[in-house]
Amino acid sequence: MQIKTINPSASKRILCTKSLPGDRWISLLTEAGFSLDIVTEERVPSKSELLELVGDSCYAVIGQLSETWDEECVRKLGAAGCKVYANYAVGYNNVDTACAKELGIAVCNTPGVLTHTTAEMGVALTFAAARRVAEGDKFMREGKFSGWLPRLLRGNLLYRKTLGLIGAGRIGSSYARMMVMGHQMNCLYASPSPKLPMENQLREFHRFMGNSSAFVTHVENIDTLLKESDVIALFPTLNPTTVHLINAPRLALCKSDAVLINMSRGQVIDEKALVEHLKTHPRFLCGLDVYEQEPDLAPGLSELPNVVLAAHTGSASYEARENMATLCALNIIGVSREYPPFSGDSMDPFLADSPPLFTPSVVA
Ligand code: GLV
Ligand code: GLV
């Protein structure tokens, strides 16, 4: 593959499998004495290409969620003397973290810097689905608009309806704040444990607004949430308990005109079952940013009018994508200097001129 090399005389080599936005990450790494091999091709490398790119000597890798760093690839990293694998993403289900841990390779990710960006995209998809924005756009471009009509492209009002949030980590709770405070929605949420700070903040908001019948409630059972919610928003991490969390029996529990949003990983939804559900429930609306077999879509999905499809661009703001690169660089520098893992919540200090002497985020 085509590679651009920076600072080739430095002894410790870093492989970056894509060209990343911004240049702060490059100056941080070169000033810290690393050489950089940056793949300049805009396509996903095959497994054999990945193994070849790692080569015989590689201190660290900045990799992508579109690459599968399975046991064979991680063992190749170990053999090349790799000490850090920095994923350019918050999710790291693409990495065999157990194998990395066994080989003493730190696995790092980029939380915090993409939280609001991703939550905002979730809001965008929610309203795009609820108000049929993509359908309208297609309708206009096809020249079908013959003037204002009382029934044309009606969608769902979300004001004071019920949000069902599944997964209330940083991104999910940021989305819940935007939806509840922006649109005075009730909130049912499912997460492994209650998130009291979020819950109290949202309840306080409703009190302040005088919404005496509004509720914000943690639920143990997602079936209850599915039955009662007008918007169902998926933000869980992908793990064995969340694979196909939304399947045919669970879709059957949802309101027939619910809006379903997935900002997590495609495997959280049984996509074939979703296609069937969308076909048989034309008032059911859906916004997807992620797919079960990326970059492929389940057969029939792209023909359905009641789903809005985004191209896994949740974190794709100019700001977030540069800050993710900075965090990858600081993760590598932090591990190489044996800085302790950061325990604070906000990553903002790492974006300042003098980042703290911590490793921003080590996940394994
Ligand atoms: C994107 O999906 C990410 O995990 O950052
Ligand atoms: C990611 O930052 C999350 O916890 O949602």
Side-chain angles (χ1 to χ4, degrees), residues 156-294:
N156 297 358
L157 174 72
L158 302 184
Y159 180 70
R160 293 197 168 161
K161 299 273 179 71
T162 297
L163 165 67
L165 178 75
I166 298 180
R170 289 178 160 98
I171 304 172
S173 39
S174 171
Y175 170 87
R177 285 188 184 93
M178 294 177 192
M179 295 300 286
V180 171
M181 297 187 184
H183 318 293
Q184 306 201 29
M185 297 184 81
N186 300 305
C187 181
L188 297 173
Y189 75 99
S191 58
S193 58
K195 301 282 176 177
L196 295 177
M198 173 188 84
E199 218 178 289
N200 292 334
Q201 197 179 20
L202 298 182
R203 288 215 182 105
E204 187 58 38
F205 167 78
H206 280 305
R207 251 194 306 276
F208 175 77
M209 297 301 287
N211 299 336
S212 55
S213 58
F215 55 87
V216 178
T217 311
H218 180 254
V219 296
E220 299 291 339
N221 183 342
I222 78 157
D223 292 358
T224 313
L225 176 153
L226 296 175
K227 282 181 205 159
E228 294 176 17
S229 300
D230 301 291
V231 174
I232 297 153
L234 304 175
F235 289 90
T237 48
L238 179 68
N239 62 47
T241 71
T242 58
V243 172
H244 284 195
L245 186 74
I246 302 299
N247 53 19
R250 288 223 165 100
L251 286 165
L253 298 174
C254 298
K255 293 186 183 184
S256 61
D257 62 350
V259 178
L260 173 68
I261 299 301
N262 188 8
M263 297 300 294
S264 157
R265 285 291 179 266
Q267 294 90 329
V268 173
I269 300 182
D270 177 344
E271 202 168 292
K272 268 170 85 177
L274 176 66
V275 169
E276 285 315 305
H277 192 78
L278 287 164
K279 276 186 192 159
T280 50
H281 298 76
R283 287 279 306 267
F284 191 84
L285 300 165
C286 187
L288 301 177
D289 190 42
V290 289
Y291 305 90
E292 196 168 350
Q293 306 275 349
E294 283 178 28

Side-chain angles (χ1 to χ4, degrees), residues 90-91 109-115 167-173 235 237:
V90 66
N109 69 339
T110 64
V113 296
L114 45 63
T115 302
R170 289 178 160 98
I171 304 172
S173 39
F235 289 90
T237 48

